[in-house]
Amino acid sequence: MTEYNPPLNVLFLSLLLALSAARALGQCAGKVSSPAAVADCAAREIPREGAAILDPAHPYTLAELIDVAEHHNPSTRTIWERAKQKARELGLAKAAYYPELEGLAVFGDERLINPFPEPLAPRGYVMVEVPIVRPEVALQYLIFDFGKREATVDSAKEEKLVAGADVIQVNQALAFRVASAYYQLVTAQERLQATRDTLRTAQTTQDAAENRLNNGLATLPDVLNARAETSQAVFDAESADGDEKIARVTLTEAVGADPSPYVVIDSQRSAPLPESLTMSIEALIDRAMKNRPELMAQTLRIRSAEAHIRAARAEYKPQIFVSGSVAQTSVWPSADYGQLGAASEPTWSAELGVRWRIFDGGVRKNELLIAESKRREAEDELTTINDETTREVWTAYIAFRTALRKHDAALALLKSANESYSASLDAYKFGVKNLVDVVTAEKQLALARLSSVSARSELFLEAVNLEFTTGNLLRNQPPATRLQSQDGHQ
């Protein structure tokens, strides 16, 4: 199967291609090759802050709007911070392999009663005062724990990768949301243009009726009916104008900017349309199973749950550790009877210990049961997501094929409606048909224009949805649809 590569300024393909790494500042937008790459990027990068600011004079392409959204939409910043937290949690888990080293300095003065034989001490005791200065360094190191630390680190690694997969999922969902809002705006703009064309058509019909009335060839009710159709067209145009402004507000909100109608898009109305699929339904499902970030994340959660089970089982085993300390102890004791000597000497201690919990009232048992239950829960969720993925791919596949047929039917409908209206208007001018026939053809033409507009945007959006449901949105893999070239050929 040959692959067609249209120019990069093509609207649809620009959405499917990952944004270049040179533009991927801050949140590493476009670096979605794997959860590991995203997780590593999250560990070292800091997301941009603040709402997006759109230039009201710049016509934004869809790729530019997605780039802005990835960096400034609150949902991406939230999931990015979670990924950074998971990266830090991995660092915490790895810290268990290192010894703990503490510094301690003691400055004190103690006064105590020291019993002493009466022949040597008249009162049978001696009052002793001991000032002390003791700087100390203490070390504790866990040598062996039967795999608990390893399991904890493995779980943290999987959770870090889960966070990377979640970042990919949120970015893809956001890209699809922006694409949906973008095409809704494109549809609203083309609907607005269609209603204005319908208004001109209605005005043409009204002019023809008034001319015939002035020549005594039509009746006043015919003119009034034509004027009513013009008024209805004016109403529809005003309604479409309001819908178009609302679609602008929706798009700016999806991008992450302050919601407002002040955004200009480059709709690229001459961009080639998707015309066919490049993959079978079996290949699309297989791609989805490999690429969907939800499936990646759920598989990683199962592996994390298995690591938790290993850590819970290791709690039944003993821990072997070493500990020790070294200090410089300085004392200047004094007594109310007799003479005591001062000292300033190095002191130290060292020990090898085994710590083994024999009974804990069922804590370890319940922790193990909970870990095993979470693994089964994750496995069941993976089965559910697999089924949902297959259903969504089938739905997107059928919807795209349907959109292709609807677009072809809409073009044929628009062509026949144009011809029908032109013929009816000419026949009316010559007195062959009445105004009812013209108005009927006019309404059919208006509906055909709206159907054509909706079918074109729906075809683009269903093509994007097919990439989204197969996990290929914002990736560099070949798209699932083939575009027409400018001359209509592949």
Side-chain angles (χ1 to χ4, degrees):
M1 183 178 296
T2 59
E3 179 183 350
Y4 167 64
N5 293 313
L8 290 179
N9 62 351
V10 173
L11 175 63
F12 178 63
L13 190 57
S14 64
L15 172 66
L16 301 181
L17 292 177
L19 303 176
S20 66
R23 298 167 57 197
L25 303 176
Q27 292 181 202
C28 306
K31 293 185 179 179
V32 295
S33 57
S34 68
V38 177
D40 290 339
C41 184
R44 65 178 182 270
E45 299 291 349
I46 299 176
R48 299 176 183 177
E49 297 182 355
I53 300 177
L54 299 177
D55 183 0
H58 175 71
Y60 287 91
T61 64
L62 179 54
E64 289 175 328
L65 291 171
I66 291 175
D67 185 36
V68 173
E70 283 187 289
H71 290 102
H72 294 283
N73 189 282
S75 62
T76 61
R77 297 206 302 270
T78 298
I79 199 66
W80 197 259
E81 291 298 339
R82 291 176 185 171
K84 293 181 73 66
Q85 294 164 18
K86 292 299 181 181
R88 298 296 175 259
E89 289 176 7
L90 175 58
L92 291 176
K94 288 181 176 179
Y97 279 98
Y98 295 92
E100 292 183 12
L101 191 63
E102 294 181 344
L104 178 65
V106 176
F107 305 90
D109 188 9
E110 184 180 13
R111 188 170 186 265
L112 52 88
I113 299 175
N114 189 11
F116 222 73
E118 286 190 3
L120 299 178
R123 293 177 294 181
Y125 65 89
V126 176
M127 297 300 300
V128 179
E129 185 174 353
V130 186
I132 184 172
V133 175
R134 185 181 181 181
E136 179 182 0
V137 176
L139 172 72
Q140 185 160 357
Y141 184 31
L142 179 62
I143 299 176
F144 189 65
D145 62 357
F146 290 90
K148 179 183 176 182
R149 288 175 299 181
E150 179 184 6
T152 302
V153 170
D154 288 345
S155 176
K157 286 179 179 178
E158 304 303 338
E159 290 296 330
K160 177 185 174 183
L161 296 178
V162 168
D166 288 342
V167 170
I168 296 175
Q169 180 183 357
V170 168
N171 276 346
Q172 287 189 344
L174 177 63
F176 183 69
R177 178 186 172 192
V178 173
S180 298
Y182 175 90
Y183 285 119
Q184 286 174 4
L185 176 55
V186 171
T187 302
Q189 290 179 339
E190 294 184 349
R191 280 181 176 272
L192 177 59
Q193 183 60 45
T195 57
R196 289 171 177 170
D197 292 340
T198 299
L199 176 58
R200 286 193 292 270
T201 301
Q203 187 64 55
T204 299
T205 303
Q206 178 181 330
D207 292 342
E210 290 176 346
N211 287 335
R212 286 180 59 82
L213 178 65
N214 293 334
N215 294 325
L217 301 175
T219 63
L220 182 59
D222 285 344
V223 175
L224 295 178
N225 285 336
R227 290 174 180 174
E229 290 299 320
T230 302
S231 299
Q232 180 64 49
V234 172
F235 175 85
D236 292 341
E238 292 299 327
S239 178
D241 183 68
D243 292 341
E244 192 264 352
K245 289 182 172 61
I246 292 174
R248 290 176 185 269
V249 175
T250 302
L251 178 59
T252 55
E253 190 261 342
V255 168
D258 292 334
S260 73
Y262 305 113
V263 60
V264 180
I265 64 170
D266 181 7
S267 59
Q268 297 191 12
R269 296 182 180 180
S270 60
L273 290 167
E275 67 169 6
S276 63
L277 289 165
T278 62
M279 306 172 68
S280 65
I281 181 60
E282 291 80 9
L284 291 172
I285 293 175
D286 183 62
R287 169 180 280 189
M289 293 300 175
K290 294 177 180 178
N291 291 344
R292 282 280 287 255
E294 306 97 305
L295 292 170
M296 296 180 190
Q298 198 59 34
T299 301
L300 293 167
R301 288 189 180 98
I302 293 174
R303 289 160 56 178
S304 176
E306 291 172 346
H308 274 296
I309 292 174
R310 288 192 283 119
R313 288 174 177 167
E315 286 286 353
Y316 283 94
K317 307 294 178 61
Q319 295 180 343
I320 302 174
F321 64 91
V322 294
S323 62
S325 65
V326 60
Q328 180 70 27
T329 304
S330 301
V331 294
W332 300 272
S334 61
D336 61 353
Y337 185 83
Q339 184 69 31
L340 301 177
S344 180
E345 297 289 342
T347 56
W348 56 270
S349 68
E351 64 180 23
L352 175 65
V354 178
R355 185 185 300 114
W356 197 351
R357 232 184 329 170
I358 299 175
F359 181 75
D360 58 8
V363 172
R364 290 172 294 180
K365 176 183 177 181
N366 287 302
E367 286 179 346
L368 178 58
L369 292 174
I370 290 172
E372 290 174 342
S373 177
K374 287 184 176 180
R375 181 188 60 183
R376 292 192 297 271
E377 176 189 1
E379 290 172 344
D380 291 338
E381 288 180 356
L382 179 60
T383 301
T384 300
I385 296 174
N386 276 330
D387 294 342
E388 290 177 350
T389 297
T390 303
R391 173 182 55 80
E392 289 174 2
V393 174
W394 265 110
T395 302
Y397 172 81
I398 295 171
F400 176 76
R401 290 167 60 92
T402 302
L404 281 174
R405 293 192 293 269
K406 287 173 64 176
H407 180 259
D408 293 340
L411 290 180
L413 176 61
L414 180 60
K415 180 181 179 181
S416 61
N418 263 315
E419 294 173 350
S420 174
Y421 173 74
S422 298
S424 297
L425 182 61
D426 291 340
Y428 174 71
K429 290 179 179 180
F430 289 104
V432 178
K433 285 192 174 183
N434 57 37
L435 187 64
V436 174
D437 297 325
V438 179
V439 171
T440 299
E442 178 187 320
K443 290 180 178 179
Q444 291 176 342
L445 177 58
L447 291 175
R449 284 169 176 160
L450 295 179
S451 297
S452 176
V453 166
S454 299
R456 183 177 184 275
S457 296
E458 182 181 355
L459 182 55
F460 272 119
L461 189 56
E462 291 300 341
V464 176
N465 185 42
L466 193 60
E467 303 297 338
F468 176 59
T469 56
T470 56
N472 195 39
L473 198 59
L474 299 179
R475 289 182 178 270
N476 283 319
Q477 298 180 15
T481 56
R482 181 180 292 107
L483 305 181
Q484 294 176 341
S485 61
Q486 296 293 343
D487 58 0
H489 299 289
Q490 295 179 10

